[in-house]
Amino acid sequence: MPSTTEKVPDQHGHFGPYGGRYVPETLMHALRQLTEQYDHARDDPEFQKQFDYYMRHYVGRPSPLYFAERLTKEAGGARIYLKREDLNHTGAHKINNCIGQALLTRRMGKPRVIAETGAGQHGVATATAAALFGLKCQVYMGAEDVRRQKLNVFKMKALGSEVISVESGSRTLRDAINEAMRDWMATVAHTHYIIGSVVGPHPFPAMVRDFQSIIGTETKQQCHDQLGRLPDVVVACVGGGSNSAGMFFPFIADRDVELIGVEAGGRGAQAGDHASTLSYGQPGVLHGSLSYVLQDADGQTANVHSVSAGLDYPGVGPEHSYWKDTRRVRYTNVSDAEALEGFARCSKLEGILPALETAHAIVEGMRVAKQRSHDDIVVICFSGRGDKDCFEVARLLGENIEG
Amino acid sequence: MNPIDALFQRLRSQQRKAFIPFFTAGDPDLETTAKLAHEVARHGASLIEIGFPYSDPIADGAVIQASYTRALNKGLTIDQIFALVRQLVQQGPFKGGEVPLAGMVSYSLVHHRGPDNFLAQAAEAGLSGVIVPDLPIEEAAELARLATARDVKLIQLVTPTTPRDRATRIARMSTGFLYCVSVVGITGERQELPAELLDQLCWLRTQTDLPLCVGFGVSKPEHVRMLKPAVDGVIVGSAIVRRWEQIGTKPIDAIVREIGDHVELLSNALAE
């Protein structure tokens, strides 16, 4: 078992045994080029300056670190702070990565981007960045999701992107990723694939983490400015794992800060009822990298479930697998029912509708806060706003709001 | 000698080329897959590539993914595929490896079973080689070592986007033959084959003694005739697999015969 958790990934994209590149030879050249281009961009102050400019003036960063007084009182323990990624343009952390990769696309001189999307959040963020930088954009979305997420499909079209409905396989996020990879294999000369999470072949997991690290870097600075010290606990939800990777990464070397990742517990621990990859999965290969995966006895990808579309994924970023094995991050899960309760509580107590993904982190954050003293500080990554989930929550509550 | 090595040695001495059909195990069912193997062997197949269905095949095109999905929806397992191979190699042209069998399998499945375990079972069942299309050479060292120890050929792929120094390294690591991908992108049928491909093949000849077999996008006798002078073998997949999309509208035996006819048409073009 590896013991250090800082100097990863290595040059082949390995986080300990995880990560790497498990892709067809057709993509290898493009991935090496992308790695080279990204390495140059990352070390170029001009690129960093552009990224910072759009983060501040377009996305609206820095996002506040807000003291949630009433949630703190309700939990009755440690003080709870919310890192308000929901206040970003487009309503979630996804835009950070999309702006970064769209800038990189422009720098590489490619005129077209593609993306996969599940519920549509990453698709909307990519369509937004594509509009901003004048890139042609096509978004792959499972046919099931196209049907369920009409509003986001409309938004992407309004932003000038084309939405391609994917009819293969399970017709969900997994298949959208497969189709996007396939498109990229045939179009790589003029197209960049903006992956939405810290998954996929190297350099995507490290690159997406880097763009999202603005979350953790700001949080650290804000803790310093507002509280005069580091937090005791940082909590974030984990689907593919991009908001959590961005939040955790700047804290990895701060051993006294406890890091907790929250997966979707769904309806229960039985296969097919949850999406708790790190809790119940095992190391395997999916979508181009080695990481924990939920598979059946033969190694076929398992079906997963979560009330939250953003956490409903059978894999997880390879760096999370590495953090799990090195025990730097503790991973736990929260059920559908608990998340819905968290959604209601946060809405009523703080006047903020959380995304259902975020609601998972809130439940765990309050659970942890309860066990700690008022002197302690728990930061919850408030990854996105809940507007997108209102139809689903209403449906589950038996209310019809679609009119 | 491994049956794949023996095959190419034999073909070379006779100045003939290998015709290599690909199809999915278990689409539409295993019994038909066995029938199909005999049918294509009767119509000129030199080696058969058997696809192991996988739920998330990023290396394959839409036609093959749909075929994998059909097979998996019927509950197909890897053990059943090995059983099919075991049964095949006891009969006719497959006995003694006259027509060798190779597996096309995602590394996701190999990894899950454990690479050595997978290879041991593949070798025991009677597969002479495996192609793992999502395992680039950077990650392949361990599997290559295990495959050598089991005398299973690990066939590597070279694509039009592969830089030349890299292609040389891939050729060095490959055993059995070198799988040359003809077009950028995934498996599927194309209307025409690019001229750069012939250049790349001529150059590869100067780099390796391995047989060169071209796949991806080969479906017509014209393709085969164009490739013939530059290759040792031709691989045809999607053009065969897509025939199973007609299932339900035609009897299974009619589709098997149709595939046999198509294989004969293409293998004749190769033998002209």
Side-chain angles (χ1 to χ4, degrees):
Chain A
M1 187 175 288
S3 62
T4 175
T5 60
E6 280 120 53
K7 296 280 179 211
V8 290
D10 68 12
Q11 57 158 336
H12 292 300
H14 291 121
F15 302 85
Y18 302 110
R21 285 177 181 146
Y22 295 87
V23 294
E25 177 60 24
T26 316
L27 278 183
M28 287 304 286
H29 186 54
L31 289 170
R32 286 206 322 210
Q33 271 183 333
L34 177 62
T35 306
E36 226 168 77
Q37 302 258 21
Y38 173 61
D39 286 348
H40 281 147
R42 193 184 46 199
D43 298 338
D44 179 356
E46 189 52 37
F47 182 80
Q48 208 51 56
K49 218 169 93 185
Q50 286 176 353
F51 181 67
D52 291 345
Y53 173 86
Y54 287 103
M55 285 298 110
R56 183 177 168 82
H57 297 288
Y58 187 74
V59 175
R61 303 199 71 94
S63 64
L65 180 70
Y66 164 73
F67 176 46
E69 203 174 336
R70 298 194 69 203
L71 281 180
T72 298
K73 204 169 161 201
E74 173 88 357
R79 284 170 288 163
I80 297 172
Y81 284 77
L82 307 177
K83 177 61 176 166
R84 298 287 306 276
E85 292 298 301
D86 60 311
L87 293 176
N88 294 340
H89 177 44
T90 70
H93 67 288
K94 292 285 185 190
I95 192 74
N96 303 330
N97 168 48
C98 292
I99 295 285
Q101 291 202 51
L103 279 169
L104 188 63
T105 306
R106 197 172 70 166
R107 189 183 158 102
M108 293 189 292
K110 294 184 174 183
R112 175 177 178 256
V113 292
I114 53 171
E116 84 292 344
T117 196
Q121 295 306 105
H122 174 59
V124 169
T126 305
T128 300
L132 176 64
F133 296 115
L135 301 165
K136 187 172 170 356
C137 175
Q138 287 178 310
V139 179
Y140 287 91
M141 189 170 185
E144 269 305 299
D145 295 327
V146 169
R147 191 182 55 75
R148 287 187 295 211
Q149 302 288 337
K150 291 190 189 82
L151 180 63
N152 277 338
V153 172
F154 175 77
K155 282 186 191 173
M156 287 184 267
K157 288 180 181 165
L159 289 160
S161 290
E162 189 189 337
V163 178
I164 301 171
S165 176
V166 176
E167 301 281 353
S168 59
S170 64
R171 307 165 68 186
T172 61
L173 175 61
R174 263 165 64 191
D175 306 284
I177 295 178
N178 296 336
E179 283 301 328
M181 287 258 188
R182 242 171 236 156
D183 177 315
W184 201 38
M185 269 182 255
T187 59
V188 70
H190 60 84
T191 296
H192 177 62
Y193 176 18
I194 300 187
I195 287 188
S197 193
V198 288
V199 301
H202 180 61
F204 285 107
M207 180 169 69
V208 176
R209 173 204 73 195
D210 289 349
F211 288 134
Q212 292 293 3
S213 288
I214 194 166
I215 304 172
T217 305
E218 280 179 9
T219 301
K220 221 168 156 174
Q221 185 63 45
Q222 288 164 323
C223 284
H224 182 263
D225 295 348
Q226 296 170 220
L227 307 161
R229 67 176 184 92
L230 289 171
D232 298 285
V233 186
V234 177
V235 184
C237 63
V238 183
S242 71
N243 89 81
S244 45
M247 178 55 119
F248 294 162
F249 186 64
F251 288 103
I252 288 296
D254 302 301
R255 300 279 160 167
D256 293 338
V257 179
E258 185 184 349
L259 305 173
I260 304 173
V262 188
E263 295 189 304
R267 295 178 292 240
Q270 216 168 333
D273 280 348
H274 60 81
S276 300
T277 309
L278 290 159
S279 305
Y280 304 120
Q282 54 184 308
V285 174
L286 177 66
H287 293 143
S289 64
L290 178 63
S291 192
Y292 277 76
V293 189
L294 291 166
Q295 294 174 320
D296 72 8
D298 241 8
Q300 310 290 351
T301 310
N303 288 323
V304 290
H305 163 81
S306 169
V307 69
S308 144
L311 302 183
D312 199 357
Y313 180 64
V316 69
E319 193 162 20
H320 284 291
S321 295
Y322 178 65
W323 287 337
K324 175 189 161 77
D325 283 8
T326 56
R327 304 209 177 107
R328 179 61 191 96
V329 180
R330 179 166 69 80
Y331 295 91
T332 180
N333 59 56
V334 157
S335 73
D336 283 355
E338 291 169 316
L340 285 166
E341 207 184 294
F343 174 92
R345 259 183 169 180
C346 181
S347 301
K348 290 190 176 114
L349 287 173
E350 293 292 343
I352 311 171
L353 295 174
L356 283 174
E357 294 79 14
T358 310
H360 286 73
I362 291 166
V363 170
E364 179 62 19
M366 290 182 71
R367 213 185 266 164
V368 171
K370 198 172 178 174
Q371 296 156 359
R372 289 182 168 252
S373 88
H374 194 65
D375 295 334
D376 287 355
I377 294 160
V378 174
V379 171
I380 299 171
C381 187
F382 205 96
S383 55
R385 64 181 178 221
D387 305 43
K388 69 179 176 67
D389 293 316
C390 286
F391 287 113
E392 183 61 11
V393 174
R395 191 184 67 80
L396 291 168
L397 296 174
E399 289 176 36
N400 180 10
I401 58 170
E402 290 198 58
Chain B
M1 187 186 279
N2 180 292
I4 295 177
D5 287 341
L7 168 73
F8 283 102
Q9 209 175 71
R10 196 164 70 236
L11 290 175
R12 272 185 175 172
S13 72
Q14 299 165 352
Q15 293 183 319
R16 284 168 54 218
K17 316 277 180 179
F19 184 79
I20 307 172
F22 165 95
F23 43 82
T24 305
D27 179 26
D29 54 61
L30 285 162
E31 195 189 324
T32 306
T33 305
K35 259 191 216 165
L36 191 58
H38 285 285
E39 179 81 4
V40 297
R42 239 194 329 273
H43 288 92
S46 330
L47 186 159
I48 296 173
E49 240 183 64
I50 295 175
F52 283 59
Y54 171 52
S55 57
D56 295 80
I58 55 173
D60 295 291
V63 171
I64 288 170
Q65 178 173 17
S67 170
Y68 283 179
T69 305
R70 287 194 295 270
L72 289 175
N73 284 346
K74 293 196 170 172
L76 183 81
T77 66
I78 294 173
D79 287 342
Q80 289 174 332
I81 303 175
F82 286 144
L84 166 78
V85 171
R86 208 173 288 127
Q87 174 209 325
L88 279 175
V89 296
Q90 282 162 14
Q91 307 159 352
F94 308 109
K95 198 171 176 176
E98 191 196 326
V99 175
L101 304 173
M104 170 82 97
V105 55
S106 165
Y107 189 65
S108 302
L109 300 180
V110 176
H111 179 275
H112 186 83
R113 196 156 278 228
D116 196 36
N117 218 351
F118 185 93
L119 288 170
Q121 291 170 8
E124 180 273 327
L127 287 178
S128 300
V130 291
I131 302 160
V132 188
D134 50 2
L135 189 71
I137 48 171
E138 284 78 2
E139 307 285 356
E142 171 74 355
L143 195 68
R145 190 181 63 73
L146 295 168
T148 302
R150 300 264 176 208
D151 193 28
V152 174
K153 299 294 168 185
L154 182 62
I155 297 138
Q156 304 278 357
L157 293 90
V158 168
T159 79
T161 57
T162 307
R164 290 197 161 179
D165 59 329
R166 183 176 171 82
T168 309
R169 281 193 290 141
I170 293 173
R172 219 173 286 145
M173 198 181 221
S174 190
T175 53
F177 63 89
L178 189 60
Y179 193 134
C180 307
V181 175
S182 61
V183 285
V184 178
I186 29 64
T187 56
E189 298 161 75
R190 308 283 161 145
Q191 290 310 303
E192 51 188 40
L193 293 164
E196 305 88 74
L197 173 64
L198 293 174
D199 290 344
Q200 192 192 30
L201 289 168
C202 290
W203 175 79
L204 280 169
R205 269 292 172 233
T206 67
Q207 300 298 305
T208 178
D209 293 330
L210 278 179
L212 304 178
C213 298
V214 173
F216 284 41
V218 183
S219 62
K220 298 178 173 175
E222 301 91 272
H223 298 155
V224 172
R225 284 189 201 103
M226 179 182 137
L227 285 168
K228 197 180 129 187
V231 302
D232 300 289
V234 168
I235 302 158
V236 177
S238 300
I240 291 172
V241 172
R242 72 198 304 261
R243 307 251 170 190
W244 292 114
E245 289 166 7
Q246 311 171 81
I247 197 148
T249 66
K250 262 185 202 172
I252 286 179
D253 286 344
I255 301 174
V256 170
R257 278 198 303 277
E258 222 177 71
I259 293 173
D261 292 345
H262 190 63
V263 166
E264 186 166 304
L265 182 73
L266 296 176
S267 65
N268 281 346
L270 197 60
E272 277 165 12

